[in-house]
Coordinates of all heavy atoms in Angstrom, one line a residue:
S296 N -10.4 0.9 -46.5 CA -9.7 0.3 -47.7 C -8.6 -0.6 -47.2 O -8.6 -1.1 -46.1 CB -9.1 1.5 -48.5 OG -8.1 2.2 -47.7
K297 N -7.7 -1.0 -48.1 CA -6.7 -2.0 -47.9 C -5.4 -1.7 -48.7 O -5.4 -1.1 -49.7 CB -7.2 -3.4 -48.3 CG -6.3 -4.5 -48.0 CD -7.0 -5.9 -48.3 CE -7.2 -6.0 -49.8 NZ -7.8 -7.4 -50.2
I298 N -4.3 -2.1 -48.1 CA -3.0 -2.0 -48.7 C -2.4 -3.4 -48.8 O -2.5 -4.2 -47.9 CB -2.0 -1.1 -47.9 CG1 -2.4 0.3 -47.9 CG2 -0.6 -1.2 -48.6 CD1 -1.5 1.2 -47.1
S299 N -1.9 -3.8 -50.0 CA -1.4 -5.2 -50.2 C 0.0 -5.1 -50.8 O 0.4 -4.1 -51.5 CB -2.3 -5.9 -51.2 OG -3.6 -6.0 -50.8
L300 N 0.8 -6.1 -50.5 CA 2.2 -6.2 -50.9 C 2.5 -7.6 -51.4 O 2.1 -8.6 -50.8 CB 3.2 -5.9 -49.8 CG 3.5 -4.4 -49.4 CD1 4.1 -4.4 -48.0 CD2 4.5 -3.9 -50.4
T301 N 3.3 -7.7 -52.5 CA 3.8 -8.9 -53.0 C 5.3 -8.7 -53.2 O 5.7 -7.8 -53.9 CB 3.2 -9.4 -54.3 OG1 1.7 -9.5 -54.1 CG2 3.7 -10.7 -54.8
Y302 N 6.1 -9.5 -52.5 CA 7.5 -9.4 -52.6 C 8.3 -10.7 -52.3 O 7.7 -11.6 -51.7 CB 8.0 -8.3 -51.7 CG 8.0 -8.6 -50.2 CD1 9.1 -8.8 -49.5 CD2 6.8 -8.7 -49.5 CE1 9.1 -9.1 -48.1 CE2 6.7 -8.9 -48.1 CZ 7.9 -9.2 -47.4 OH 7.9 -9.4 -46.1
Q303 N 9.5 -10.7 -52.7 CA 10.4 -11.9 -52.5 C 11.3 -11.6 -51.3 O 11.9 -10.4 -51.3 CB 11.2 -12.3 -53.7 CG 10.3 -13.2 -54.7 CD 9.3 -12.4 -55.4 OE1 9.6 -11.3 -56.0 NE2 8.1 -12.9 -55.5
R304 N 11.6 -12.6 -50.5 CA 12.3 -12.4 -49.2 C 13.7 -13.1 -49.2 O 13.8 -14.2 -48.8 CB 11.5 -12.8 -48.1 CG 10.1 -12.2 -48.0 CD 9.3 -12.7 -46.8 NE 10.0 -12.3 -45.6 CZ 9.7 -12.8 -44.4 NH1 8.9 -13.8 -44.3 NH2 10.3 -12.3 -43.3
P305 N 14.8 -12.4 -49.6 CA 16.1 -13.0 -49.6 C 16.6 -13.1 -48.1 O 16.2 -12.3 -47.2 CB 17.0 -12.0 -50.4 CG 16.3 -10.7 -50.3 CD 14.8 -11.0 -50.2
N306 N 17.6 -14.0 -47.9 CA 18.2 -14.1 -46.6 C 19.6 -13.5 -46.7 O 20.2 -13.5 -47.8 CB 18.4 -15.6 -46.2 CG 17.0 -16.2 -45.8 OD1 16.2 -15.5 -45.3 ND2 16.8 -17.4 -46.2
S307 N 20.2 -13.1 -45.6 CA 21.5 -12.5 -45.7 C 22.6 -13.6 -45.8 O 23.6 -13.4 -46.4 CB 21.8 -11.6 -44.4 OG 21.6 -12.4 -43.2
N308 N 22.3 -14.7 -45.1 CA 23.3 -15.9 -45.2 C 24.7 -15.5 -44.9 O 25.7 -15.9 -45.6 CB 23.2 -16.5 -46.6 CG 21.9 -17.2 -46.9 OD1 21.4 -17.8 -46.0 ND2 21.4 -17.1 -48.1
G309 N 24.9 -14.7 -43.9 CA 26.2 -14.3 -43.4 C 26.9 -13.2 -44.2 O 28.0 -12.8 -43.9
R310 N 26.2 -12.7 -45.2 CA 26.8 -11.6 -46.1 C 26.5 -10.2 -45.5 O 25.5 -10.0 -44.8 CB 26.2 -11.7 -47.5 CG 26.4 -13.0 -48.2 CD 25.6 -13.2 -49.5 NE 24.2 -13.3 -49.2 CZ 23.3 -13.5 -50.2 NH1 23.7 -13.6 -51.4 NH2 22.0 -13.7 -49.9
T311 N 27.3 -9.3 -45.8 CA 27.0 -7.9 -45.6 C 26.0 -7.4 -46.6 O 26.2 -7.5 -47.8 CB 28.3 -7.0 -45.7 OG1 29.3 -7.5 -44.7 CG2 28.0 -5.6 -45.5
V312 N 24.9 -7.0 -46.1 CA 23.7 -6.6 -47.0 C 23.9 -5.2 -47.5 O 24.2 -5.0 -48.7 CB 22.4 -6.8 -46.3 CG1 21.3 -6.4 -47.2 CG2 22.2 -8.3 -45.8
F313 N 23.7 -4.2 -46.7 CA 23.7 -2.9 -47.2 C 25.1 -2.3 -47.3 O 25.9 -2.4 -46.3 CB 22.8 -2.0 -46.3 CG 21.4 -2.4 -46.3 CD1 20.8 -2.9 -45.2 CD2 20.6 -2.4 -47.5 CE1 19.4 -3.4 -45.2 CE2 19.3 -2.9 -47.6 CZ 18.7 -3.3 -46.4
G314 N 25.4 -1.9 -48.5 CA 26.8 -1.5 -48.8 C 27.6 -2.7 -49.3 O 28.8 -2.5 -49.6
G315 N 27.0 -3.8 -49.4 CA 27.7 -5.0 -49.9 C 26.8 -5.7 -51.0 O 26.8 -5.3 -52.2
L316 N 26.0 -6.6 -50.5 CA 25.0 -7.3 -51.4 C 24.1 -6.3 -52.1 O 23.8 -6.4 -53.3 CB 24.2 -8.3 -50.6 CG 23.1 -9.1 -51.4 CD1 23.7 -10.0 -52.4 CD2 22.3 -9.9 -50.4
V317 N 23.6 -5.3 -51.3 CA 22.8 -4.3 -51.9 C 23.6 -3.0 -51.8 O 23.8 -2.4 -50.7 CB 21.5 -4.1 -51.0 CG1 20.7 -2.9 -51.6 CG2 20.7 -5.4 -51.1
P318 N 24.1 -2.5 -52.9 CA 25.0 -1.3 -52.9 C 24.3 0.0 -52.5 O 23.1 0.1 -52.7 CB 25.5 -1.2 -54.4 CG 25.2 -2.5 -55.0 CD 24.0 -3.0 -54.3
Y319 N 25.1 0.8 -51.8 CA 24.5 2.1 -51.5 C 24.4 3.0 -52.8 O 25.2 2.9 -53.7 CB 25.4 2.9 -50.5 CG 25.4 2.3 -49.1 CD1 26.6 2.0 -48.4 CD2 24.2 2.1 -48.4 CE1 26.5 1.5 -47.1 CE2 24.1 1.6 -47.1 CZ 25.3 1.3 -46.5 OH 25.3 0.8 -45.2
G320 N 23.4 3.9 -52.8 CA 23.3 4.8 -53.9 C 22.8 4.3 -55.2 O 22.8 5.0 -56.2
E321 N 22.3 3.0 -55.2 CA 21.8 2.5 -56.4 C 20.3 2.0 -56.2 O 20.0 1.6 -55.1 CB 22.6 1.3 -56.9 CG 24.0 1.6 -57.3 CD 24.8 0.4 -57.8 OE1 24.2 -0.7 -58.0 OE2 26.1 0.5 -57.9
V322 N 19.5 2.1 -57.3 CA 18.1 1.7 -57.2 C 18.1 0.2 -56.9 O 18.7 -0.6 -57.6 CB 17.4 2.0 -58.5 CG1 16.0 1.4 -58.5 CG2 17.4 3.5 -58.7
W323 N 17.3 -0.2 -55.9 CA 17.1 -1.6 -55.5 C 15.7 -2.0 -55.7 O 14.8 -1.3 -55.4 CB 17.6 -1.7 -54.0 CG 17.5 -3.1 -53.4 CD1 17.8 -4.3 -54.0 CD2 17.0 -3.4 -52.1 NE1 17.5 -5.3 -53.1 CE2 17.1 -4.8 -52.0 CE3 16.5 -2.6 -51.1 CZ2 16.7 -5.5 -50.8 CZ3 16.1 -3.3 -49.9 CH2 16.2 -4.7 -49.8
R324 N 15.5 -3.3 -56.1 CA 14.2 -3.8 -56.3 C 13.4 -4.0 -55.0 O 12.2 -4.3 -55.0 CB 14.3 -5.1 -57.0 CG 14.8 -6.3 -56.1 CD 15.1 -7.5 -56.9 NE 16.4 -7.6 -57.5 CZ 16.8 -8.5 -58.4 NH1 16.0 -9.5 -58.7 NH2 18.0 -8.4 -58.9
T325 N 14.0 -3.8 -53.8 CA 13.4 -3.9 -52.5 C 13.0 -5.3 -52.2 O 11.8 -5.6 -51.9 CB 12.3 -2.9 -52.3 OG1 12.6 -1.6 -52.9 CG2 12.0 -2.7 -50.8
G326 N 13.9 -6.2 -52.4 CA 13.6 -7.6 -52.2 C 14.5 -8.4 -53.2 O 15.6 -8.0 -53.5
A327 N 13.9 -9.5 -53.7 CA 14.7 -10.3 -54.7 C 13.7 -10.6 -55.9 O 12.5 -10.4 -55.8 CB 15.1 -11.6 -54.1
N328 N 14.4 -11.1 -57.0 CA 13.6 -11.5 -58.2 C 12.8 -10.3 -58.7 O 13.3 -9.3 -59.1 CB 12.8 -12.7 -57.9 CG 13.6 -13.9 -57.4 OD1 14.7 -14.1 -57.8 ND2 13.1 -14.7 -56.5
N329 N 11.4 -10.5 -58.8 CA 10.6 -9.4 -59.2 C 10.6 -8.2 -58.3 O 10.8 -8.4 -57.1 CB 9.1 -9.9 -59.4 CG 8.9 -10.9 -60.4 OD1 9.5 -10.8 -61.5 ND2 8.1 -11.9 -60.1

């Protein structure tokens, strides 16, 4: 069989990602946009 993924790929651009741009303890879309 097969597994497929479609996702959007944000850049950190010097930002703190986890605990900053992506808050801890909150549901995240696991990427950007959709």
Side-chain angles (χ1 to χ4, degrees):
S296 61
K297 184 174 69 173
I298 296 178
S299 304
L300 277 162
T301 300
Y302 71 108
Q303 278 74 48
R304 308 181 63 196
N306 292 322
S307 59
N308 292 324
R310 299 170 290 183
T311 297
V312 176
F313 298 115
L316 177 64
V317 179
Y319 288 129
E321 296 183 12
V322 175
W323 180 41
R324 70 187 87 187
T325 319
N328 302 325
N329 294 318

